[in-house]
Amino acid sequence: MFSASSVSASPSDAKAAHAVRGRTARIGETGRTGRVGETAGAGRAGETRRAGRRGRGRAALRPVTALLLSGLVTAATLAGTGTAAADDPGRHQGGAAAVLDGLKTFDSAVLRMPGENGAPDRTQELPAGLFEMTVDGGGKLKTYCIDLHNPTQDQAKYLETPWAETSLGANRNAGKIRWILQHSYPQVDDLAALAEAAGTGPLTERTAAAGTQVAIWRYSDGADVTASDKQAEKLADWLQKRARNVAEPRASLTLEPAAVSGRAGERLGPVIVRTDADQVSVAPPVDAAASGISVTDEKGVPVTSATDGARLYFAVPKGSTDGSASLTVQTTTSVPVGRAFAGTTRTQTQILAGSSESTVSARATATWAETGAAPALTARKNCAAGGVDITAANQGDEPFTFELGGTEHTVAAGTTETVTIPVAEDQAYDFTITGPGGFRKNFTGVLDCATSGSVIAAEADRQSDDDTGVGTQSARQSVPASTGTTTSGLEGDLAETGGSSTTPMIAALAVGLLVIGGGTLFVLRRKEAHQHAE
């Protein structure tokens, strides 16, 4: 099993890997390497996929142009009135948060991509293996990549994320990836036993990690990829052929819902604890002593710890000034293998292969008002709809009315409504709801619902007969600015699989247009009482 002190590749290993170079391919011009969810046949993955795919490609500039156009509506501010609420990052539903330390245990692999207009297939040599992350609050994670063409960002921040909010949600083979994780390195750390079961011959940590990564890419990206080492390639084939779909693992820790509301003098909730840990600690609001607000169970008894399924409430004293409070639950546990980790900025999505005992946490907020509407606001990525769902639950005694994207929505007292805000694939979003009395709710993140390879393929199909490359972009069709020509060989990360020599210039243009796009304003307001009467 994984431990924080597991052996990693040394710096000399990274240098040796760097020395191995193949023919560098233009990722933006190679056409499809496979759609999300495609399976490879027996033997080497992708042999049957290459037929008929030549001559399909596109210049990298086209999706970049579309990205800049879509960037005009990336950021938005929602302003209006309401009861006071604390500022909330709004991007983490709970679980582990970690920082990427880099690719640590790896060997090389070869990616094959169809050539254009009858040209020979292109190849690119790249590193394949295990990444490591340091968990906020303590702990170590080991992960594999599930987005081959998307570069990693140095020291990127990652959050434990449901499959439905990543490319795994639309991938019918997502469960097979988890099976591979459960039956290979580092979960199976007896390499002799693994080699015997797979019939590979001797395996090292590096070749076992490479073979496992290659098998995963065949299911996560539908990629035609082969491990350079013969034993690693045999392991990849064995894992791919034997993989079976298994269910998504539970989150390490979440609170449902993440926001509640109501009246002072009432118990606001419940907030239900969901965890695979034996017990979690419960921390009341930071100003609990002064405000008199406490966290209780269903019977009104204050609690300092809870277990899975526990129902927690905010006990707000009668006569409290309109406002808000937060509770936090935390524990130390091993994060379940197969949990997805998505970046808070645009970076390669990862899937968990091993965890030490790590700190996990979740937060919930309560908002109350003496009269009028009392909204509780939450946000969740909606990959199926290509946007972000903002849910308003109104526990007040008046309707909560707001305008979003030119459409007016009214949430009646005691009801809930969800509004989906379109966001382009791979784009950052930053929605802030503000109002009198200090009301403020902020939701930020990056919509990353598809592998970069599948986005490129979809765009190539859509524009195969379009020479301009400029048109209306859907959330599924916009392509990240960093997809372009690779400029380096193997390094201790996967940045070169999607990096571009033009990325700095494109990024600067994107930021400039994004600032302009910040002028897009969604207005959130509560109507006056006489307006409701009308």
Side-chain angles (χ1 to χ4, degrees), residues 67-412:
L67 166 71
L68 300 183
L69 293 176
S70 65
L72 295 176
V73 293
T74 298
T77 299
L78 292 78
T81 64
T83 55
D87 189 22
D88 187 344
R91 62 171 58 172
H92 197 197
Q93 299 171 27
V99 174
L100 184 68
D101 294 329
L103 186 62
K104 301 295 185 180
T105 307
F106 62 92
D107 203 76
S108 62
V110 176
L111 175 67
R112 293 177 178 80
M113 297 158 287
E116 297 179 20
N117 302 318
D121 288 353
R122 301 181 180 216
T123 62
Q124 179 181 355
E125 196 148 12
L126 70 162
L130 274 170
F131 290 82
E132 291 187 7
M133 298 186 188
T134 298
V135 179
D136 294 354
K140 286 285 188 178
L141 306 177
K142 286 194 174 184
T143 60
Y144 286 107
C145 162
I146 52 171
D147 192 355
L148 172 59
H149 294 287
N150 191 358
T152 57
Q153 302 299 323
D154 186 42
Q155 294 293 295
K157 181 70 172 289
Y158 280 82
L159 304 176
E160 186 179 342
T161 305
W163 283 5
E165 298 184 27
T166 71
S167 60
L168 295 176
N171 187 341
R172 68 176 183 269
N173 292 314
K176 293 183 178 180
I177 296 174
R178 189 187 180 202
W179 186 97
I180 290 171
L181 294 167
Q182 293 172 327
H183 293 83
S184 191
Y185 181 76
Q187 285 301 299
V188 180
D189 59 2
D190 185 339
L191 297 181
L194 179 60
E196 182 178 358
T200 62
L203 290 169
T204 66
E205 289 181 331
R206 290 176 57 183
T207 57
T212 305
Q213 177 65 89
V214 165
I216 289 171
W217 276 334
R218 292 173 182 176
Y219 283 127
S220 65
D221 294 72
D224 180 6
V225 60
T226 303
S228 299
D229 179 83
K230 292 182 179 179
Q231 283 73 35
E233 174 62 13
K234 288 180 179 179
L235 175 62
D237 287 343
W238 180 78
L239 291 169
Q240 180 189 0
K241 293 174 185 177
R242 289 179 61 88
R244 301 292 182 268
N245 268 311
V246 293
E248 177 181 4
R250 295 182 62 189
S252 61
L253 178 60
T254 59
L255 292 173
E256 299 174 354
V260 295
S261 62
R263 294 280 177 256
E266 302 174 349
R267 286 190 296 120
L268 311 184
V271 174
I272 303 174
V273 178
R274 303 294 187 193
T275 184
D276 62 346
D278 294 334
Q279 183 172 281
V280 300
S281 63
V282 179
V286 293
D287 62 345
S291 66
I293 299 169
S294 61
V295 179
T296 73
D297 61 15
E298 292 176 286
K299 297 179 180 179
V301 178
V303 297
T304 57
S305 64
T307 57
D308 181 50
R311 301 163 74 86
L312 305 178
Y313 295 81
F314 292 84
V316 182
K318 188 174 181 60
S320 297
T321 303
D322 294 359
S324 70
S326 298
L327 70 83
T328 302
V329 294
Q330 181 174 298
T331 191
T332 301
T333 187
S334 178
V335 182
V337 169
R339 290 296 291 170
F341 277 77
T344 59
T345 55
R346 188 176 183 279
T347 187
Q348 211 171 67
T349 305
Q350 306 273 311
I351 191 165
L352 187 68
S355 167
S356 69
E357 289 292 303
S358 300
T359 299
V360 296
S361 63
R363 182 185 181 197
T365 61
T367 303
W368 59 90
E370 183 177 354
T371 60
L377 300 170
T378 58
R380 182 180 295 270
K381 298 175 187 176
N382 185 338
C383 288
V388 177
D389 288 343
I390 291 184
T391 299
N394 180 16
Q395 295 303 316
D397 54 18
E398 293 181 7
F400 183 61
T401 301
F402 61 96
E403 186 177 291
L404 185 60
T407 303
E408 186 175 87
H409 304 270
T410 298
V411 184

Side-chain angles (χ1 to χ4, degrees), residues 7-33:
V7 177
S8 301
S10 66
S12 60
D13 294 331
K15 291 179 180 178
H18 178 71
V20 182
R21 295 176 180 266
R23 287 186 293 157
T24 302
R26 283 188 168 185
I27 301 300
E29 298 182 355
T30 57
R32 292 182 292 183
T33 58

